[in-house]
Amino acid sequence: MIREARLRDLLPAGSPSRLEASGVVAADGHYLVVCDNLRAVAVIDADLSRVAANTLNPTGPGPGNGYEDIARDPVTGHVFLLVESAERDGGHQARVEEYDESFRFVAAGWLEYPLPRPNKGIEGLEFARRDDQVYLLGLHESGGLLVFRPGRRNWRHVATVDLPAGLPLADFAGVSVAGARIALLSQESAAVWVGELAPDKWAATGPGRVRRFPRGYCTVEGVCWLGPESMVVVSDRAKRDSRPARCREKEESLHVLDLDDLSPAGPVNPAGPR
């Protein structure tokens, strides 16, 4: 790891002690972090040391106890906060809230894709522009990477990214796209798949590669590219009843890493999600 720190050590006194980190983006020398137990956005200086300058910005009331991921439009500075699943018309869909660069509410809308149950929803979110069009990419826990375009009020599902068959990840927990580069994070496999997207269609251009996190990084949840071979990752809280004690060493933390420091991984679950 290039550097890492516990989130509770990076936020001002009086901030919540439980910080179930679930998503991160890098912007203007800061990391914007969301937690799935807080309706707020943490703004953390990228050097992970200037604690006094860091803030926790509440977003106000709304569905869900927190956010599953965060995406950002680099042109406007607006951020998009993902509510994994909420009730709608007798079923469940994910919901996205848009805020401006000062975290003032702009709009909210549904990701129009049916979800089987409340806790099996959209786990990751990314913002993209192609051919002067705006898109959101929603990473379904088991259904793949979904492409949404803005409609009159909500976000319409218009495509599903063609990923390599038999992608060796046991689940999907986070997504980041930078140019042609794409990273898909798996918490269960403690691994990240790195590939490239075609410029003219929603498809990966090859098999990519999988890298495994070191022992103890059991709860990796959100990811954002920093450069061609570097990224920032956040870790959730380890479940006390199902995770070994060693998983608590790296929980609720922010990690800046170089891909070369991760081990090449063989197949984890060849029959897993596409």
Side-chain angles (χ1 to χ4, degrees):
M1 295 291 159
I2 298 173
R3 53 188 179 274
E4 60 186 357
R6 285 289 181 100
L7 286 172
R8 66 170 176 256
D9 296 332
L10 297 172
L11 291 175
S15 298
S17 59
R18 187 161 179 159
L19 298 162
E20 300 176 13
S22 52
V24 59
V25 294
D28 303 326
H30 295 85
Y31 300 127
L32 311 184
V33 179
V34 293
C35 301
D36 57 22
N37 68 314
L38 294 175
R39 289 187 56 84
V41 180
V43 180
I44 297 172
D45 195 279
D47 67 6
L48 305 190
S49 63
R50 291 188 289 182
V51 177
N54 299 337
T55 60
L56 187 64
N57 304 274
T59 56
N65 296 321
Y67 299 109
E68 200 66 26
D69 205 357
I70 178 173
R72 181 176 180 271
D73 179 354
V75 175
T76 65
H78 288 201
V79 294
F80 300 83
L81 308 182
L82 172 67
V83 177
E84 176 184 6
S85 177
E87 291 186 8
R88 185 191 185 199
D89 297 335
H92 294 86
Q93 291 183 353
R95 190 165 175 81
V96 171
E97 299 171 6
E98 181 181 354
Y99 293 82
D100 69 13
E101 63 275 17
S102 299
F103 304 110
R104 294 183 294 251
F105 179 79
V106 175
W110 300 95
L111 297 183
E112 294 187 331
Y113 185 88
L115 301 173
R117 55 186 186 273
N119 63 341
K120 291 295 181 182
I122 305 297
E123 295 285 332
L125 192 71
E126 182 59 288
F127 181 91
R129 289 181 185 271
R130 281 194 174 188
D131 300 324
D132 297 324
Q133 298 292 328
V134 166
Y135 298 90
L136 286 179
L137 308 182
L139 186 65
H140 192 287
E141 184 169 345
S142 59
L145 186 57
L146 312 173
V147 183
F148 297 89
R149 279 189 60 183
R152 185 175 178 182
R153 293 185 177 178
N154 300 310
W155 294 83
R156 295 180 292 110
H157 177 222
V158 295
T160 299
V161 177
D162 186 10
L163 298 172
L167 196 64
L169 299 177
D171 71 340
F172 290 138
V175 56
S176 181
V177 175
R181 300 191 312 274
I182 179 172
L184 299 181
L185 194 68
S186 170
Q187 182 177 121
E188 292 299 320
S189 300
V192 60
W193 173 79
V194 176
E196 291 191 357
L197 290 177
D200 56 348
K201 58 182 178 179
W202 295 107
T205 60
R209 55 190 171 127
V210 176
R211 297 279 183 170
R212 189 188 298 277
F213 286 83
R215 180 180 172 87
Y217 289 81
C218 313
T219 59
V220 289
E221 181 86 3
V223 59
C224 178
W225 285 107
L226 298 178
E229 293 294 324
S230 61
M231 55 180 54
V232 57
V233 174
V234 291
S235 291
D236 197 357
R237 178 181 173 89
K239 293 180 174 61
R240 274 30 183 181
D241 58 348
S242 60
R243 293 283 191 176
R246 69 173 185 272
C247 294
R248 302 177 195 177
E249 297 176 6
K250 302 297 183 181
E251 69 176 0
E252 299 181 302
S253 297
L254 191 152
H255 322 277
V256 180
L257 60 96
D258 191 310
L259 283 177
D260 287 340
D261 293 333
L262 304 185
S263 303
V268 177
N269 180 11
R274 249 187 108 204

